[in-house]
Amino acid sequence: MAEELQPQTPAASPEEPQRSFRHTLERKPGSLATLAVEVDADRVARQTERVFRRRVQQARIPGFRPGKAPRALYERTYGTEHLWHEAAEDMVDETYREIVDLEGLKPLDKPEVEISEVGPDQPLRYTATMPIRPNVTLGEYADHGAKVEPSPVTDDDVERTIAGMREHHAELRPVDRAAQNGDVLTVDIDVTLDGRQLPPFGRNAHLELGRDYAVPGLAEGLIGVNAAEERTLDLAFPADHADTDLAGKSATFVVRVSQVAEKILPALDDDFAKTVGVADLAALHNAVRSELAHASFHEARDNAGQAVLTRLLDTSEVELPEILVNDELDGLMADLRARVAERGLSWEQFLLQARKTEEEIRAEWREPAERRAKSLLVLDALAQKEDVGVSSTELAQEVALTPLAQQDPEALRDPAVLGSFARSIRNRKLIDKLLGLDSADAERELMRLAGAPEEDPKEDAPKLEVPAPRAVSDASPEGREALRRMLEP
């Protein structure tokens, strides 16, 4: 519906002359807005005179120095139409910015402008259509019901983690005998399925006998093998295999063994503790418990935060601008392309392997892109309502701790990169506030419940080589999931 606005400044105010334009604002579906503007003819004429004064400075007219030729002679030499068109462009730029400020609009992109014919003694008429940041109706987010409930760390958790650390530091000692359970084989594996050779299943890979692998029977079938031996195994892929073309099918595995090695675990003593960065075995147990408590707390906070965000998005209403959805789709596609390149594949190879076109992938990802765009708008609105922001000091401290600060310091001069960091920090602060975690005391109490030692050494202790409880990546979860579905055997 069009909203007609009259000149708003009272004539009685000598300091604020009446506006020299009129406009209507029409809001359209998809968070679009169209301005229909009429600028007074005398304002356009004055701007045309200013354009002439600019242009005449570069004019070369016999008998006159640059900038001194009269307008009538300039127009006979160069014409007049370009003066009016340039003045019209100037007037569009000026009045558009004035109207955006007047209306409190927040354009998301440059406007599409259509200018009507302009000339002497005529007002300038134009329309400008642009996507604008929509209004957000926030839902009842305060009653989300989510709680941060970290799982307490047990003694068994600590022992299993230390056992994993010992495995990580184990020595592989080649042996001249047949392989047995617990040995680690160095192998090349090729697979033939339905008469066709699949891409290499493994090259110079380590395979530990006695462990479960994605293909049942693979490790068991190599018991008793010797170095330099080749063994052929007929095995079936599991019915729930991620690749539906392989699921439940039988294949021939040719395994070439280049080395048989026994695994020698380091002794669990003070010397081992020193190799992983602590003073002794007691300190190792304490540090591992602290690490696991932190991991448990952060996982619980992430889960509760996701529940809050889900509640917030499900109960809030916002009309999504198409430009924001496309921006999120572009980001998802860029992330996927980067991860495909990390796998050593070209984009074309990936599409062939996935049996999809780029357009089909974009169509599949439209829904998550819409949710990401909605999340951006809703969190911005909520942060404004809750008065949550990020100081320059907070931003500098966080940025200094990121790998990017060491890898590419110049990237941190990019306003878009800093803006992304700032939004991420603000969102975390916002969710923490909704969860009641906006104080150090609240976090310390949850850490205590998670089982952290009373004197938590995490801040001062060297970084332990503790296996991460879950993968962490700057890449989007959608990109990781797509690769898992489409590429992983």
Side-chain angles (χ1 to χ4, degrees), residues 185-189 201-207:
L185 310 182
T186 303
V187 298
D188 290 342
I189 305 176
F201 200 77
R203 287 290 181 269
N204 203 34
H206 283 167
L207 191 151

Side-chain angles (χ1 to χ4, degrees), residues 238-251:
D240 59 352
H241 196 276
D243 190 335
T244 56
D245 288 340
L246 301 179
K249 293 186 177 181
S250 296

Side-chain angles (χ1 to χ4, degrees), residues 193-216:
L193 175 67
D194 296 334
R196 63 186 178 94
Q197 186 86 19
L198 299 183
F201 200 77
R203 287 290 181 269
N204 203 34
H206 283 167
L207 191 151
E208 183 175 343
L209 303 187
R211 287 203 171 186
D212 293 330
Y213 289 92
V215 179

Side-chain angles (χ1 to χ4, degrees), residues 438-475:
D438 48 345
S439 74
D441 289 342
E443 182 169 334
R444 277 194 293 268
E445 176 59 19
L446 285 169
M447 288 296 305
R448 187 187 65 79
L449 293 175
E454 291 298 327
E455 295 182 3
D456 188 356
K458 184 171 177 64
E459 295 300 325
D460 301 322
K463 182 64 179 176
L464 287 175
E465 299 176 24
V466 176
R470 54 197 170 90
V472 178
S473 171
D474 290 335

